């Protein structure tokens, strides 16, 4: 069992840290919201008084924070976690942030550092079924792979620093574009008098098939567990999708990659969020496309 520091105990980090404590690790936790710390202490974690204190003496230190600035400040800011951690500690950031900041923090920490963003959402965090996409040194990845798999079902080493964030940006750009296209297909089918079920039956067995259709179908009925069946309660909120599309667009601009579909998806999700859809599941985009919400 390992000594683990964990900072950022929100919707994702809270259940992730609790899964590590339940697995028997000695987990020191910190969040600026005391109630979130208390929920982890209930299952055996230890409360730390600061982010830096979680890192002192830990073998593995993990952050799960909102955005790049929080991650940079936590690791590299005055009294930051990198400086107080043991030289042999392995540092892991699971937040979704931009590739450039991930590389900057990795270079500035002076310790083995992994960017390890996740896919799978809050349910995945609670049920320990997340997928980790990891960038950084091979040796560090192999040291923490077992710990990551106690919070998820897969951990994929994608390459050097920033490769995990790069994979996350690419994956979610495709997810947004396939969801938008799938929503459009159902709206067009409605106009043509084709039933949802008939279109689902055909597309799920044809070349229009995708995860957005068969796991996360944006109309109620064909896939009973999808957010469409509960009035588009998230799931994966449209505001988070907009954040991820912004990170993909930033990466595309910095590298000169042509991503016109990603840009189009960004514009659609920005409009949806501006119209009040930010707290809705991202498959709720279909309502905006129908002109009904
Ligand atoms: P959240 O806002 O629920 O949690 C973030 C936590 O960080 C909060 O509890 C906040 O109090 C804490 N925090 C902020 N600054 C801090 C500091 N300086 N020190 C200590 N704690 C601090 O967000 P979340 O939904 O848990 O998402 C976390 C990360 O995971 C984000 O980068 C997000 O993009 C990514 N992500 C989220 C989902 C999802 O479905 N929610 C899915 C995949 C990835």
């Amino acid at each position: 069992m390992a000594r683990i520091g964990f900072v950022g105990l929100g919707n994702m980090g809270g259940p992730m840290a609790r899964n590590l404590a339940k697995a028997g690790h000695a987990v020191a936790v910190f969040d600026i919201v005391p109630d979130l710390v208390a929920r982890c202490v209930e299952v055996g974690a230890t409360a730390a008084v600061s982010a830096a204190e979680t890192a002192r003496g830990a073998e593995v230190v993990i952050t799960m924070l909102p955005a790049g600035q929080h991650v940079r400040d936590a690791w590299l800011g005055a009294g930051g976690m990198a400086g107080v951690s043991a030289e042999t500690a392995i540092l892991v950031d699971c937040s979704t942030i931009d590739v450039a900041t991930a590389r900057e923090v990795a270079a500035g920490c002076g310790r083995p550092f992994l960017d390890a963003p996740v896919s799978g959402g809050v349910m995945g965090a609670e049920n320990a079924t997340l997928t980790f996409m990891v960038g950084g040194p091979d040796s560090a990845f192999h040291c923490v792979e077992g710990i990551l798999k106690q919070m998820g079902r897969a951990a994929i080493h994608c390459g050097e620093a920033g490769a995990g964030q790069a994979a996350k940006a690419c994956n979610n750009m495709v997810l947004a574009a396939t969801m938008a296209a799938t929503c459009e297909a159902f709206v067009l089918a409605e106009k043509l008098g084709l039933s949802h079920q008939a279109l689902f039956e055909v597309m799920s067995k044809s070349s229009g098939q995708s995860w957005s259709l068969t796991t996360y179908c944006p109309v109620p009925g064909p896939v009973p567990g999808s957010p469409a069946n509960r009035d588009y309660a998230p799931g994966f909120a449209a505001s988070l999708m907009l954040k991820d599309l912004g990170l993909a667009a930033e990466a595309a601009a910095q590298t000169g990659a042509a991503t016109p579909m990603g840009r189009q998806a960004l514009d659609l999700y920005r409009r949806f969020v501006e119209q009040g859809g930010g707290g809705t599941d991202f498959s709720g985009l279909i309502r905006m496309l129908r002109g009904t919400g």
Side-chain angles (χ1 to χ4, degrees), residues 43-138:
V43 296
T46 310
V49 296
S50 66
E53 197 195 300
T54 67
R56 238 181 275 277
E59 293 154 289
V60 178
V61 191
I62 302 173
T63 46
M64 190 51 161
L65 294 166
Q69 189 60 47
H70 304 86
V71 173
R72 188 189 288 112
D73 289 351
W75 289 108
L76 303 180
M81 299 159 68
V84 300
S85 63
E87 278 181 23
T88 52
I90 295 172
L91 314 183
V92 185
D93 176 46
C94 294
S95 326
T96 303
I97 67 169
D98 59 289
V99 176
T101 301
R103 288 183 177 150
E104 179 197 328
V105 175
C109 272
R111 312 272 186 275
F113 183 93
L114 299 169
D115 53 291
V118 301
S119 141
V122 177
M123 291 294 285
E126 281 168 0
N127 299 331
T129 55
L130 295 169
T131 296
F132 290 84
M133 25 208 128
V134 188
D138 205 33

Side-chain angles (χ1 to χ4, degrees), residues 7 10-12 31-33 36 64-66 96 118 121 240 243:
V7 174
N11 293 321
M12 297 293 291
D31 193 289
I32 49 178
V33 179
L36 298 176
M64 190 51 161
L65 294 166
T96 303
V118 301
L240 288 171
K243 172 195 168 184

Side-chain angles (χ1 to χ4, degrees), residues 244-289:
D244 291 357
L245 287 167
L247 295 174
E250 204 177 316
Q254 281 165 1
T255 55
T259 57
M261 297 289 286
R263 170 61 63 181
Q264 191 68 35
L266 173 69
D267 290 345
L268 281 171
Y269 276 100
R270 184 181 291 128
R271 261 174 53 209
F272 186 49
V273 169
E274 281 170 1
Q275 290 178 17
T280 308
D281 186 77
F282 81 111
S283 60
L285 182 73
I286 193 167
R287 288 173 158 174
M288 186 180 85
L289 296 173

